Amino acid sequence: MKAAIENRFAEQVDFLRELVKVPSDNPPGDTEHHALRTAELLEGLGFTVEKHPVPEPFVRQNGMVSVTNLIIRETFGDGFGPVIALNAHGDVVPPGEGWTKDPYGAEIDDGALYGRGAAVSKGDFATYAFALLALREYADELEGSVELHLTYDEEAGGFVGPKWLLEQELTKPDYAISAGFSYAATTAHNGCLHMEVIFRGRQAHAAMPESGADALQAATPVLTALYAERERLKSIQSEQDGIGSPQITVGLISGGINTNVVPERVSLRVDRRLIPEENGEQVEEQLIELIEALVPEDCGVEVECRRIMIAEPLRELPGAKKLVEALKWPAKEVLGIELKSTGAPLYTDARHYAEAGIPTVLYGAGPRSILEANAHGADEHLQLSDLKAATIIVADALKTLLR
């Protein structure tokens, strides 16, 4: 397996460079062009690529412009063995500022490939595709199927990516491996509640504020309570390694029209991270109750709490241990490490597979942490040695699972 991957490694790096060079920022979420370019490159490798465009109303409902998801299906033997999905996403956060490299240049410097999406998670388009190519050399020994699910809305929640593919019954895998990093297998991760809190008062001249209803004044005790809630949450710890405490952040505040006008409308955007032991809807109910209790009914200000998104945590299913075990021995062989299962304090597309009852782990190409990769930051990069190692490890794990 190692020789098969090493023989095509230069081709694999060129493949990834081409993916990084095509912008697929989300927002705005106009990702179809990247999907079509990816399909073209994959077809050049000899794959048959299914293109599954999501209807525009559903795309717009999820705050995006265009989404076309890709599926590759490879059957070994009579196909009676397990169906294993490999999922990575091609949409990326916008580059932002502070880069010393061109975020779309796919420059290689000191053994690392730089560019937005190199680590999260265009790198795993390359990991999974070339692992599958290497697996073909052992086709006579294998029984089952491997599917590549290359999706395009992870940064918006995955609702028209993996969730869409599963709900439309375009796929029904027995196991799933989703994009991750090389030095641990992630079996659980946080969920997330995004909520907008809107305060509606009545505009007035600043010389006579009592003639209006000040939306910002009503919002102030709510802000104070949310930061007190942040402190309270520190006392709660997940039992899952790598997760830590629930978190709450007010990430965006907007309101008012001018300095000399009592603000009639103020909105807060709240991010509440959920540990696997929590339920998103219950947390939402408790948070709404906390907020509404702080706005007096007779103050002239109405408060509305509007859900933007709930992403439930990834919770480990019993079959996930089989995936971790299959990854362990090649990780020891290739990286010289004892691969451990852990949790991660973020949320990903992987949860949609687990919610459908499919044992799922996150594993792919990358360093020991998101911080090391500068993922979602300036100068995001992927060490090419990690790309090669992860490809060998995934291919060997698949070989084990399909026997």
Side-chain angles (χ1 to χ4, degrees), residues 6-292:
E6 286 183 338
N7 289 340
R8 302 191 74 163
F9 189 61
E11 187 181 2
Q12 183 179 8
V13 172
D14 288 342
F15 173 81
L16 177 53
R17 292 187 72 196
E18 290 302 310
L19 297 180
V20 171
K21 288 176 182 178
V22 181
S24 51
D25 299 355
N26 188 12
D30 191 1
T31 62
E32 184 177 27
H33 179 63
H34 192 280
L36 296 179
R37 176 59 176 151
T38 301
E40 180 182 36
L41 291 168
L42 290 165
E43 287 165 350
L45 295 173
F47 289 116
T48 298
V49 183
E50 300 175 16
K51 305 179 187 72
H52 295 283
V54 179
E56 184 179 3
F58 296 99
V59 174
R60 297 284 181 180
Q61 182 181 335
N62 284 275
M64 295 181 65
V65 177
S66 66
V67 173
T68 295
N69 299 307
L70 309 177
I71 297 179
I72 291 171
R73 305 179 204 264
E74 193 89 7
T75 300
F76 299 96
D78 295 321
F80 294 134
V83 179
I84 304 167
L86 306 177
N87 167 243
H89 66 93
D91 63 317
V92 299
V93 297
E97 299 180 354
W99 287 74
T100 64
K101 315 280 188 188
D102 179 353
Y104 305 111
E107 179 182 342
I108 296 174
D109 184 14
D110 195 24
L113 193 158
Y114 285 77
R116 177 57 85 225
V120 182
S121 72
K122 293 177 182 180
D124 282 333
F125 276 32
T127 302
Y128 298 154
F130 280 79
L132 185 52
L133 285 174
L135 208 62
R136 285 178 171 179
E137 298 193 12
Y138 299 85
D140 293 342
E141 306 173 24
L142 307 178
E143 185 67 42
S145 300
V146 176
E147 297 181 355
L148 304 191
H149 297 176
L150 308 180
T151 55
Y152 279 90
D153 77 324
E154 202 271 349
E155 303 298 348
F159 298 102
V160 289
K163 188 173 178 65
W164 174 265
L165 296 179
L166 292 163
E167 286 185 340
Q168 298 301 307
E169 299 184 347
L170 294 166
T171 181
K172 193 176 180 181
D174 299 299
Y175 299 96
I177 298 175
S178 196
F181 287 165
S182 307
Y183 296 86
T186 301
T187 55
H189 66 55
N190 278 356
C192 186
L193 165 65
H194 282 175
M195 179 188 294
E196 183 175 32
V197 186
I198 304 170
F199 301 86
R200 297 186 178 91
R202 187 173 63 258
Q203 185 176 308
H205 197 291
M208 298 178 290
E210 67 281 355
S211 64
D214 194 325
L216 182 55
Q217 184 177 8
T220 299
V222 172
L223 268 173
T224 300
L226 292 176
Y227 282 104
E229 179 70 357
R230 173 187 278 184
E231 292 303 308
R232 186 189 72 83
L233 293 174
K234 290 179 181 178
S235 66
I236 302 171
Q237 289 286 322
S238 173
E239 294 182 1
Q240 173 70 55
D241 288 343
I243 296 290
S245 299
Q247 304 289 341
I248 190 165
T249 298
V250 180
L252 182 66
I253 302 176
S254 61
I257 60 170
N258 205 353
T259 309
N260 61 349
V261 179
V262 171
E264 66 174 349
R265 186 183 190 278
V266 169
S267 70
L268 314 176
R269 289 287 184 102
V270 180
D271 178 303
R272 170 64 159 83
R273 297 297 162 124
L274 314 165
I275 62 175
E277 291 86 348
E278 293 182 307
N279 174 278
E281 291 190 354
Q282 291 179 357
V283 169
E284 181 184 38
E285 289 176 6
Q286 292 163 2
L287 197 55
I288 291 172
E289 184 178 342
L290 171 68
I291 291 167
E292 290 182 342

Side-chain angles (χ1 to χ4, degrees), residues 186-192 238 240 243 274-283 310-320 342-343 346 348 350-362:
T186 301
T187 55
H189 66 55
N190 278 356
C192 186
S238 173
Q240 173 70 55
I243 296 290
L274 314 165
I275 62 175
E277 291 86 348
E278 293 182 307
N279 174 278
E281 291 190 354
Q282 291 179 357
V283 169
I310 285 185
E312 288 290 339
L314 172 65
R315 302 177 179 94
E316 182 176 342
L317 298 178
T342 188
L346 41 70
T348 75
R351 70 189 191 280
H352 294 299
Y353 293 95
E355 286 174 7
I358 301 161
T360 304
V361 304
L362 278 67

